[in-house]
Amino acid sequence: MRAAVKIIIIIGLLLLLMTLFMTYNTGVNLDYVIPKRGIRLATMLVVGISTAYASLIFQTITNNKILTPSIMGYESVFILFQTLIVFIYGDKTFQVLNHQTNFYVSIACMMLFSFFMYFLLFKKGSKNVYHLLLIGLVLGTLFQTMSQFFQIVIDPNEFSIIEGFMFVSFNKMNTDLLVVATVIMLATLMTAHRYVKYLDVIALGRDHAINLGLNYNRLLQVYMIIISVLVATATALVGPMMFLGILITNLTYQLFPTAKHRSMLVICALIACIALVMGQILIEHLFNFSTTVSIVINFIGGFYFMYLMLTSRRKI
């Protein structure tokens, strides 16, 4: 099938799912249902686009198709912050820190972590991206262990507050947070647009990129900043979603085997939006909110990750 036909099918499927999500089983109170669904739909689009761009750029600069930015420890930092807040303030957490302030502080914590990871390590002369991955993996494991420790010692009733942040939910959104997240995402994508053309060369490897005249280390820092902003925004907005990046990027590689990242990023974003909207439709109308979209995505993505590991091992 030609690439143009595939793109038309993907766009048509996304529009169909969006229409189905907005109109199916709305009832008679349209003035209430439609705006609420519109906010959830816009949130899914922001999260899908941010995750797609961050994951695909991250896999390109690491030259690895089974890694996602979550390996750097962003989600662990987010969960640790939420756990510490509940540990300190208990059931008065939302009186001290409302949702908007929590959103801003969560992004600030993840960005400070990125500042430590990228600028300080690069300043000390560590210009190897795999060194950054190793440090991020170790720190992420440390933060996750600390979160589990505090979750054990807090009151069980207060643990339910933390659970609300551990799983992705599109039902707790408000317009103010969505507007801020959209502005941050658009500003980051406008900045990333200037550097997308270099990804085709970066994909050839570090040595080839340097031989072709690119300032590899400088571009690596720029890409890492872009990834950190997008991941921090998506995670602070709805929560962590581990396997979404692996699922959508590898579906993009299989459906569109091309080296042109400008096209791949757009297609990957469309596939991410399809996955989130379809998952939310299943959660609301099939499972009747008995589970969350992150569990469905991680369940499917986990099996897909195992499939990728087995197929890559056979190729080796």
Side-chain angles (χ1 to χ4, degrees):
M1 187 182 298
R2 296 176 57 185
V5 178
K6 294 181 182 178
I7 294 175
I8 293 175
I9 293 175
I10 289 176
I11 295 175
L13 178 60
L14 177 58
L15 294 176
L16 177 63
L17 290 173
M18 291 170 59
T19 304
L20 180 64
F21 176 78
M22 292 294 296
T23 59
Y24 180 74
N25 196 19
T26 55
V28 295
N29 195 3
L30 296 180
D31 294 337
Y32 175 80
V33 175
I34 297 299
K36 291 293 184 181
R37 291 190 179 184
I39 294 176
R40 295 205 300 272
L41 179 60
T43 304
M44 286 184 277
L45 296 180
V46 171
V47 173
I49 294 172
S50 300
T51 304
Y53 271 72
S55 300
L56 192 57
I57 294 175
F58 187 80
Q59 290 184 359
T60 299
I61 63 178
T62 58
N63 196 22
N64 193 313
K65 295 182 179 180
I66 60 175
L67 294 180
T68 60
S70 60
I71 196 175
M72 299 296 296
Y74 297 110
E75 297 173 354
S76 300
V77 172
F78 175 76
I79 296 298
L80 177 61
F81 170 72
Q82 305 301 333
T83 303
L84 289 175
I85 292 299
V86 176
F87 177 77
I88 296 172
Y89 296 107
D91 56 358
K92 298 181 180 179
T93 299
F94 292 117
Q95 299 177 8
V96 178
L97 200 69
N98 57 36
H99 290 289
Q100 292 183 356
T101 306
N102 191 354
F103 175 77
Y104 298 136
V105 177
S106 298
I107 291 181
C109 288
M110 286 182 277
M111 291 305 300
L112 286 175
F113 175 71
S114 301
F115 176 82
F116 169 78
M117 287 291 297
Y118 308 142
F119 288 94
L120 294 186
L121 290 178
F122 270 93
K123 187 176 180 180
K124 291 182 178 180
S126 175
K127 302 183 184 301
N128 191 335
V129 65
Y130 296 106
H131 187 201
L132 293 177
L133 293 178
L134 179 60
I135 298 297
L137 180 61
V138 172
L139 291 178
T141 304
L142 173 63
F143 296 150
Q144 185 178 7
T145 304
M146 293 173 61
S147 300
Q148 292 174 352
F149 170 76
F150 287 110
Q151 290 169 11
I152 291 174
V153 299
I154 65 175
D155 187 275
N157 295 323
E158 297 172 354
F159 178 74
S160 61
I161 302 176
I162 303 176
E163 278 189 314
F165 296 101
M166 295 175 62
F167 301 101
V168 172
S169 175
F170 295 101
N171 300 317
K172 57 185 180 182
M173 287 298 98
N174 60 61
T175 307
D176 295 334
L177 292 184
L178 178 60
V179 171
V180 173
T182 304
V183 172
I184 295 174
M185 182 198 69
L186 293 177
T188 306
L189 293 184
M190 290 176 63
T191 304
H193 181 74
R194 299 174 51 191
Y195 298 94
V196 168
K197 57 185 177 182
Y198 301 119
L199 288 174
D200 297 344
V201 182
I202 296 291
L204 300 176
R206 180 179 182 273
D207 295 335
H208 290 291
I210 293 176
N211 291 334
L212 291 172
L214 293 185
N215 189 344
Y216 180 83
N217 293 324
R218 176 60 179 170
L219 287 174
L220 186 64
Q221 295 181 40
V222 173
Y223 291 136
M224 286 296 190
I225 295 173
I226 292 171
I227 291 169
S228 63
V229 174
L230 292 176
V231 173
T233 303
T235 304
L237 189 62
V238 297
M241 192 176 299
M242 183 180 300
F243 287 106
L244 178 62
I246 295 176
L247 179 64
I248 60 179
T249 52
N250 283 276
L251 285 176
T252 303
Y253 298 142
Q254 292 187 1
L255 293 175
F256 298 89
T258 178
K260 297 180 180 180
H261 283 77
R262 193 178 299 275
S263 302
M264 291 175 62
L265 287 169
V266 176
I267 295 169
C268 188
L270 292 174
I271 294 176
C273 295
I274 288 175
L276 290 177
V277 176
M278 183 181 297
Q280 189 66 22
I281 291 175
L282 293 176
I283 295 303
E284 293 188 11
H285 302 293
L286 181 62
F287 298 108
N288 196 22
F289 295 101
S290 60
T291 184
T292 61
V293 66
S294 61
I295 294 178
V296 175
I297 294 293
N298 289 336
F299 179 78
I300 299 174
F303 276 101
Y304 190 63
F305 175 77
M306 295 173 61
Y307 166 76
L308 293 174
M309 294 293 292
L310 293 175
T311 52
S312 61
R313 183 178 179 180
R314 291 172 185 172
K315 293 179 181 178
I316 294 175

